Amino acid sequence: MTYYSYHTHTTYCDGKAKAEAFIKRAMELQMKAIGFSSHAPFPIEVCWNMAENQLMNYVNEIRSLSAKYQNEIDVYLSLELDYIPGVTKPFAHTKEVYGLDYTIGSVHLIKSPIDNEFLFLDGPDTNYSHGLECFYQGDIKKMVTDYYSQINEMILQEKPGIIGHIDKIKMNNKGRYFSEDEKWYQYLLKETIGVIKETDCIVEINTRGLYTKKSKSFYPDLSFAKECKKHKIPMTISTDAHHPDELLLYFNEATEMLKESGYDSVRIYDKGEWKNVSI
């Protein structure tokens, strides 16, 4: 089996180890490739993204490590770019300026109906419940619809190489406010899949929710993956590691889920282009 990880966070953002420690662990695990994707700086102050004044240090360090280990493992440079309408910079511009190998596009902050207010989906679930009550007056359908609208807009406008943890809206829901089986929610998922199929974007199966016990399923789950297969949408697997010991957690299980979904291959990044590899 080909092992890899393209979604990896170091101490430049909210990761728990330096890049070289991840590379050494990746080689121990006999991985083909590792891609670094620290949370990119953006205008809203948060504690989990990279500081603007560290960006070039990050770029230079990853490029230096890529050269150092070029005969042992493929090391790639990326950023996890958040999309917030009217706030964040165009992905293509950032990719060009910093010479990124690929981009990961994600939504962690929903632009709420209240001016200059944003709902943070990650972290403690109190963020979720507070945002739902204060920004949406308890209207979960409106909040979830806004999330997927922002995801869809990101896909169409920014066309990231990889779409990060596409259904992360479910993480802090935990079945309290809506069921993923409800027709309105399923409609939103199918609408998003319709948007993806108009692009070349790759959907990641992100395993982090399972191994941190913040989700009972992958981002996204089996039913979503089956729908993606129907529309021939390419997939890859990401562990979203924040520590070297997380590099391949639930990778094999994600592979089995993709097989169950009908996939016989996944996308890997190989020296400048995305290629299919059998699973």
Side-chain angles (χ1 to χ4, degrees):
M1 184 181 292
T2 302
Y3 290 109
Y4 54 86
S5 178
Y6 303 117
H7 190 155
T8 314
H9 296 279
T10 72
T11 49
Y12 276 102
C13 55
D14 59 347
K16 307 303 179 186
K18 293 184 177 181
E20 192 161 21
F22 281 93
I23 293 171
K24 289 179 178 179
R25 180 58 179 152
M27 290 191 296
E28 290 173 0
L29 294 168
Q30 298 184 325
M31 291 169 61
K32 171 181 171 52
I34 182 168
F36 291 98
S37 55
S38 283
H39 292 288
F42 55 92
I44 299 169
E45 185 177 346
V46 292
C47 63
W48 41 267
N49 72 332
M50 190 191 313
E52 186 79 43
N53 62 9
Q54 288 297 304
L55 185 48
M56 282 310 305
N57 291 338
Y58 166 76
V59 169
N60 292 334
E61 181 175 328
I62 302 305
R63 285 299 182 210
S64 175
L65 290 169
S66 179
K68 180 178 178 179
Y69 291 98
Q70 63 182 321
N71 296 324
E72 299 169 85
I73 187 172
D74 295 332
V75 177
Y76 295 115
L77 171 67
S78 181
L79 287 166
E80 184 173 10
L81 299 162
D82 258 75
Y83 177 73
I84 307 173
V87 175
T88 49
K89 297 176 182 178
F91 290 6
H93 174 77
T94 301
K95 185 174 185 290
E96 181 180 359
V97 168
Y98 297 103
L100 306 180
D101 292 307
Y102 59 91
T103 57
I104 299 177
S106 300
V107 171
H108 292 89
L109 294 160
I110 304 175
K111 190 173 184 179
S112 84
I114 300 174
D115 287 344
N116 300 316
E117 293 289 353
F118 302 90
L119 188 153
F120 180 41
L121 296 173
D122 214 325
D125 62 10
T126 49
N127 292 337
Y128 196 92
S129 55
H130 172 80
L132 177 59
E133 292 305 317
C134 293
F135 305 151
Y136 288 92
Q137 292 74 53
D139 187 345
I140 189 64
K141 287 186 183 180
K142 171 63 175 167
M143 188 177 92
V144 174
T145 298
D146 281 0
Y147 171 79
Y148 280 108
S149 293
Q150 199 165 311
I151 286 280
N152 295 348
E153 189 174 321
M154 176 189 74
I155 294 166
L156 288 173
Q157 290 195 16
E158 306 296 346
K159 297 179 176 60
I162 298 173
I163 305 166
H165 40 63
I166 195 166
D167 59 347
K168 197 165 191 175
I169 188 74
K170 72 187 181 187
M171 187 186 85
N172 279 324
N173 175 51
K174 297 182 173 66
R176 294 177 298 170
Y177 303 111
F178 69 91
S179 167
E180 293 169 55
D181 295 327
E182 292 181 63
K183 288 183 178 179
W184 65 268
Y185 185 77
Q186 288 297 313
Y187 172 82
L188 291 174
L189 293 184
K190 289 178 180 178
E191 186 177 51
T192 294
I193 288 171
V195 170
I196 299 168
K197 73 177 184 179
E198 300 301 321
T199 72
D200 294 323
C201 296
I202 300 166
V203 173
E204 69 170 15
I205 300 296
N206 186 304
T207 71
R208 186 168 178 78
L210 271 178
Y211 67 76
T212 59
K213 301 185 179 352
K214 290 187 175 182
S215 174
K216 293 182 179 179
S217 62
F218 295 122
Y219 308 123
D221 63 10
L222 177 62
S223 62
F224 191 100
K226 285 181 175 179
E227 284 296 315
C228 285
K229 175 58 179 173
K230 288 179 185 178
H231 295 284
K232 301 179 180 179
I233 293 169
M235 290 275 197
T236 193
I237 299 170
S238 294
T239 58
D240 198 349
H242 287 58
H243 186 280
D245 290 341
E246 297 171 348
L247 272 171
L248 289 182
L249 292 184
Y250 282 84
F251 188 101
N252 290 338
E253 290 84 348
T255 301
E256 290 306 311
M257 190 192 80
L258 282 176
K259 289 180 180 178
E260 187 178 350
S261 305
Y263 283 88
D264 58 11
S265 66
V266 291
R267 288 282 170 88
I268 66 165
Y269 191 80
D270 186 20
K271 296 177 175 62
E273 62 179 326
W274 291 101
K275 298 179 180 177
N276 287 329
V277 64
S278 297
I279 56 174

